[in-house]
Amino acid sequence: QTSISLEEAFAGKQIVASVKLPSGREQVINVKIPAGISDGTTIRLKELGDDSIQSIPKGDINLTVRVATHATFIRNGDDLIKEVTLSAFDAMLGTSVEVDTLDGKTLNITVQPGTQHGAVLGAQGYGMPNVNDNRFKGRLLIPIKISIPTNLTDAQKELIKQAMA
């Protein structure tokens, strides 16, 4: 078993592992972990395992890949999810927000006036690479969370009441 970060799962990774075989011999192997690999995927390394019985082919080594959770992104298949919090005023009036992608790019996302709490914006092609064909990437999904101010002054409250009338 090996553990990698979400960034390493995004880009793929080459690792060198040392495995002790039942024969007592130490086997050093190079493993290419493909971009887009999912947590819990097992990579089968044919005929790199047990060599204790000379009359039969070597066994296989099964390497399970664990992808660590990320502080900012949540993975759902090939899609990545990154929540954005807006002020109630920005949600009402519309705004644009900068959203960093997992691979270090910055997207400028337009939030339309009247956007509601829980709305999900999306950017196609900024998610995880598809493990079977890295030319295709999932989406970056951006759920909108609205922050309601709790410290309005009486004058600000009055202005809001007037605007709503």
Side-chain angles (χ1 to χ4, degrees):
Q1 179 171 310
T2 189
S3 294
I4 61 173
S5 68
L6 187 60
E7 289 88 351
E8 290 168 331
F10 182 89
K13 184 176 183 179
Q14 190 82 25
I15 65 169
V16 176
S18 181
V19 178
K20 187 165 184 141
L21 301 177
S23 65
R25 191 172 66 83
E26 199 74 22
Q27 173 81 346
V28 176
I29 53 175
N30 289 309
V31 181
K32 182 178 192 263
I33 298 174
I37 196 164
S38 297
D39 181 52
T41 299
T42 298
I43 298 173
R44 183 176 170 204
L45 306 168
K46 289 185 172 190
E47 298 183 5
L48 292 177
D50 187 5
D51 63 352
S52 59
I53 303 173
Q54 298 299 319
S55 61
I56 63 171
K58 289 182 181 182
D60 299 337
I61 295 175
N62 291 317
L63 177 67
T64 302
V65 179
R66 305 306 314 191
V67 179
T69 57
H70 195 275
T72 307
F73 293 92
I74 297 169
R75 183 174 183 176
N76 183 15
D78 288 344
D79 294 336
L80 292 173
I81 302 167
K82 183 176 185 179
E83 188 175 80
V84 170
T85 301
L86 299 175
S87 75
F89 302 108
D90 282 340
M92 287 186 283
L93 301 174
T95 189
S96 65
V97 293
E98 289 187 347
V99 178
D100 294 330
T101 64
L102 186 60
D103 60 348
K105 295 180 176 120
T106 300
L107 303 178
N108 195 356
I109 304 293
T110 300
V111 179
Q112 296 297 321
T115 296
Q116 299 295 308
H117 178 82
V120 179
L121 307 178
Q124 182 64 41
Y126 291 96
M128 292 295 288
N130 183 285
V131 72
N132 297 317
D133 189 343
N134 289 168
R135 293 176 300 167
F136 299 102
K137 289 186 180 174
R139 301 168 294 175
L140 175 59
L141 299 175
I142 308 160
I144 301 297
K145 184 176 174 183
I146 308 294
S147 174
I148 308 295
T150 57
N151 57 351
L152 294 175
T153 66
D154 288 339
Q156 289 170 324
K157 290 177 187 175
E158 192 56 40
L159 283 172
I160 293 170
K161 286 178 187 176
Q162 289 174 12
M164 291 174 54

